[in-house]
Amino acid sequence: MKKDLNALSFSEKESICERIFISNGPYWHLYTDGTKMQNIFRCEDDFKTGMWILAASLHISKGVKALTFELMGNHIHLILAGEREDCINAFEIFAAKLRLAFPKRQCAIDWSKFKMDILPIETLQALRNEIIYTNRNAFVANPAYTPDSYPWGGGCAYFNPWLKHLKTTPLGNLKVNIQRALLHTRDVSQFSELIEVGGMPFIPSFCDISLGESMFRDARSYFNSLTRNAETFSQIASRLKDSIFLTDEELYSVICSHISKEYSVKAPSQLSAQQKIDTARHMHFSYNASNRQLKRMLRLDLAVLEELFP
């Protein structure tokens, strides 16, 4: 008789996760640099197009599984399982289809700057961190979202029991002209197994959410990781050369912890002018805090911060 997952010990759950991790690799974080790329996705229709193009590209890349992803306005993150060259090829298919789907009449996009980097993920804990980092990406950038409400990424599907209540339709059941309009291609024969929901691709039909979830002991361990790994997020952001990776609330908590240890004070308002400057340096170099975040957190003049960190 199969043992109830909730009855398993911590170590038993961890062993299961480790076995799944070992049997499904290798793993990669494939991403593009938003600091070099203009906005690609400027409105809801653009994001919907991006989602369908990504769904189609991953669907035909049979050697690749996506564990999660995030489409941002000017860059993307993909957490993938598969051989390196297969993952790169999946991106190339995506980029090529995207170029064709975004004609020049919408906006002139310099696609030469839409280039990917790919980094290996070599341990189970590292994979968990990269999944969390990706699912947090829009939440950090935009206060309108939480990690599980952003519609253009895999995070909204993680540990979400409502998915099974959605009314979905196999893409092949839709009229051919509708399929072509969604996928931006005439030949839709190979995409019939994709699933549509409300005009969007159903995320679990092209992204292996179950595999991603299986890397965590349970929903609670996933949820607890979403806001409790500032040091880890710092290391990942450094690898990816990301700019901001903590929200104001998270950064304020890190600042309070730092000044409590360094200066034995509880709030930034209790710091001297020099202590504020020193704290700003630490937050800038260790946590990529932006000048505007530091202005808000430490009540420092923006001109002073821009002189320190031009």
Side-chain angles (χ1 to χ4, degrees):
M1 183 176 179
K2 188 176 180 180
K3 193 173 183 180
D4 180 9
L5 183 63
N6 292 325
L8 297 177
S9 67
F10 178 97
S11 60
E12 286 174 325
K13 290 181 180 179
E14 195 71 4
S15 294
I16 291 172
C17 293
E18 191 69 47
R19 287 198 299 271
I20 295 171
F21 171 81
I22 292 170
S23 62
N24 285 279
Y27 304 92
W28 310 91
H29 190 152
L30 188 151
Y31 64 99
T32 62
D33 187 348
T35 65
K36 297 178 180 178
M37 188 66 190
Q38 68 197 91
N39 278 348
I40 304 170
F41 310 109
R42 297 167 179 262
C43 63
E44 184 173 327
D45 284 344
D46 288 351
F47 275 105
K48 283 185 177 180
T49 296
M51 290 283 285
W52 278 109
I53 298 300
L54 180 63
S57 302
L58 290 171
H59 181 71
I60 61 178
S61 301
K62 298 303 183 183
V64 176
K65 292 181 180 179
L67 280 68
T68 195
F69 67 96
E70 202 97 324
L71 299 186
M72 301 293 287
N74 58 9
H75 69 282
I76 68 166
H77 291 273
L78 300 172
I79 305 301
L80 304 174
E83 295 303 321
R84 185 177 186 275
E85 291 306 314
D86 291 338
C87 294
I88 293 173
N89 187 57
F91 171 80
E92 295 298 341
I93 293 171
F94 171 67
K97 287 180 173 291
L98 208 57
R99 285 193 293 271
L100 292 174
F102 280 73
K104 292 181 180 179
R105 63 178 174 81
Q106 290 178 286
C107 60
I109 297 175
D110 184 358
W111 290 105
S112 67
K113 295 180 180 179
F114 190 59
K115 296 179 179 179
M116 62 103 229
D117 284 299
I118 187 168
L119 297 172
I121 305 172
E122 296 175 339
T123 68
L124 172 60
Q125 188 56 50
L127 179 57
R128 290 169 174 165
N129 293 338
E130 301 278 351
I131 290 172
I132 292 290
Y133 186 90
T134 298
N135 288 351
R136 280 171 45 91
N137 208 247
F139 156 71
V140 172
N142 191 331
Y145 297 106
T146 69
D148 59 1
S149 71
Y150 187 66
W152 321 117
C156 61
Y158 266 64
F159 298 100
N160 186 346
W162 285 99
L163 290 178
K164 64 177 178 282
H165 298 295
L166 295 176
K167 184 179 180 180
T168 61
T169 304
L171 192 63
N173 289 3
L174 300 178
K175 293 181 179 179
V176 172
N177 63 325
I178 295 177
Q179 296 180 52
R180 288 171 173 170
L182 292 174
L183 294 167
H184 293 266
T185 185
R186 289 195 59 79
D187 183 6
V188 295
S189 58
Q190 57 189 326
F191 303 113
S192 60
E193 293 178 8
L194 286 174
I195 297 174
E196 179 266 349
V197 56
M200 293 265 289
F202 185 53
I203 291 172
S205 73
F206 67 92
C207 181
D208 199 334
I209 298 298
S210 295
L211 180 58
E213 289 177 340
S214 70
M215 299 301 163
F216 298 87
R217 291 183 296 278
D218 46 41
R220 179 187 295 167
S221 69
Y222 169 80
F223 181 80
N224 284 341
S225 298
L226 283 171
T227 57
R228 296 189 178 184
N229 286 314
E231 294 291 344
T232 298
F233 300 149
S234 171
Q235 294 166 9
I236 295 174
S238 178
R239 283 212 313 161
L240 306 183
K241 299 180 177 63
D242 263 358
S243 54
I244 298 174
F245 55 89
L246 294 179
T247 64
D248 280 5
E249 292 79 7
E250 291 169 336
L251 183 65
Y252 186 78
S253 177
V254 171
I255 287 174
C256 288
S257 176
H258 173 73
I259 64 177
S260 175
K261 293 174 183 176
E262 290 294 316
Y263 308 115
S264 299
V265 299
K266 294 183 178 180
S269 59
Q270 297 174 289
L271 295 172
S272 68
Q274 185 58 51
Q275 288 170 339
K276 286 184 178 183
I277 295 295
D278 292 340
T279 299
R281 285 196 176 97
H282 179 71
M283 294 299 126
H284 174 83
F285 291 112
S286 297
Y287 295 94
N288 278 21
S290 71
N291 287 349
R292 294 195 176 276
Q293 281 184 311
L294 294 172
K295 178 181 182 292
R296 293 191 292 268
M297 303 293 106
L298 297 171
R299 303 289 178 89
L300 284 168
D301 190 274
L302 187 60
V304 172
L305 290 164
E306 288 176 345
E307 186 175 339
L308 287 169
F309 317 117

